[in-house]
Amino acid sequence: MTTIVRNLQLVRDRITTACVAAGRNPATVRLLAVSKTFGAEAVADAATDGQRAFGENYIAEGVEKILALRQQPAVPALEWHCIGPVQSNKTRLVAEHFDWVQSVDRLKIAQRLSEQRPAHLPPLQICLQVNVDGGANKSGLAPADVQALAQEVAQLPRLVLRGLMAIPEPAADFDAACELHARSKAIFDAVNASGVLPIPMDTLSLGMTADLEAAIHAGSTMVRVGTAIFGKR
């Protein structure tokens, strides 16, 4: 058993334990393995243990891995999530190679992704990034702007609005982390309850290595874990 496979099993155990503590079914929380800065061989190692969804922050690096792994017959089809900032000059690369984009925070970016998504591929799955705690140096929408953008993005062809993503600042303790993540859950629920979307959102992407338990307690349906799987960068 490799270190990555052993780490994956430990992370899955953490998710299960957190779900049980929160009174949730572990099947309701997906694990996104964040493979930024680690090579294609590390992704292939994780894939041998059944991990299929991978997140990349850096677009060029991610595309290089996606293309390399597609050339390896032993590696199954993988699901690739762009979780880093997307600039206008990189939207075509993202639209052509990724399956999900979790970091949309501007209508212009969503429109370009929609226009540039190849017709032979399934629609691109989209999460809006929310700057839930108002961090000055953070990407993401102000909470008050989420509903309007969600309504516009939901109308774009070649995209499917799936949910919200947030990366709040590290919290002092479990209770503080739960409170931060609960803000995102409240926004998610409010947008779904507003009736402005043709299909309700189903994905709340919250929590990383340090705070996945708090995120699950608050209602996260997807945790993004890198360090606990692949090691320190």
Side-chain angles (χ1 to χ4, degrees):
M1 182 186 296
T2 68
T3 299
I4 288 174
V5 169
R6 184 164 53 251
N7 288 346
L8 266 172
Q9 294 179 4
L10 292 172
V11 170
R12 290 172 184 144
D13 288 345
R14 284 179 64 186
I15 292 170
T16 297
T17 300
C19 285
V20 171
R24 298 180 58 190
N25 182 343
T28 63
V29 179
R30 295 187 67 198
L31 172 59
L32 182 69
V34 179
S35 45
K36 69 175 182 180
T37 77
F38 290 91
E41 62 281 356
V43 174
D45 195 0
T48 65
D49 196 48
Q51 181 63 31
R52 295 291 179 267
F54 293 88
E56 290 287 329
N57 290 65
Y58 309 121
I59 293 165
E61 176 193 332
V63 169
E64 183 178 343
K65 270 181 261 190
I66 291 168
L67 295 176
L69 288 161
R70 283 178 183 164
Q71 302 304 311
Q72 297 185 26
V75 177
L78 303 176
E79 179 181 283
W80 292 95
H81 295 233
C82 176
I83 59 175
V86 181
Q87 303 300 323
S88 295
N89 63 346
K90 295 291 179 65
T91 53
R92 185 173 297 279
L93 271 178
V94 174
E96 290 179 347
H97 296 286
F98 285 85
D99 304 295
W100 285 64
V101 185
Q102 296 200 22
S103 48
V104 172
D105 61 4
R106 289 178 288 157
L107 180 59
K108 176 184 177 181
I109 295 299
Q111 289 171 329
R112 290 177 65 88
L113 291 170
S114 175
E115 292 163 1
Q116 295 169 347
R117 182 66 168 175
H120 70 278
L121 294 178
L124 197 56
Q125 311 298 296
I126 300 294
C127 289
L128 303 182
Q129 183 172 351
V130 186
N131 186 353
V132 70
D133 54 352
N137 298 317
K138 288 278 189 71
S139 299
L141 290 158
D145 297 332
V146 173
Q147 182 170 311
L149 184 59
Q151 189 171 6
E152 291 180 292
V153 171
Q155 305 303 319
L156 293 173
R158 311 296 302 141
L159 304 182
V160 176
L161 178 63
R162 295 295 297 271
L164 305 181
M165 182 268 271
I167 314 172
E169 292 292 337
D173 53 35
F174 178 81
D175 289 340
C178 287
E179 191 277 330
L180 273 176
H181 289 308
R183 295 184 203 175
S184 296
K185 180 63 161 62
I187 298 166
F188 177 87
D189 289 342
V191 174
N192 272 344
S194 69
V196 301
L197 301 180
I199 301 172
M201 299 181 293
D202 63 5
T203 300
L204 187 56
S205 178
L206 304 173
M208 299 185 289
T209 292
D211 63 348
L212 70 85
E213 287 84 2
I216 289 170
H217 186 274
S220 175
T221 69
M222 182 182 294
V223 292
R224 309 177 306 273
V225 179
T227 302
I229 296 172
F230 296 104
K232 292 187 181 297
R233 295 179 172 83

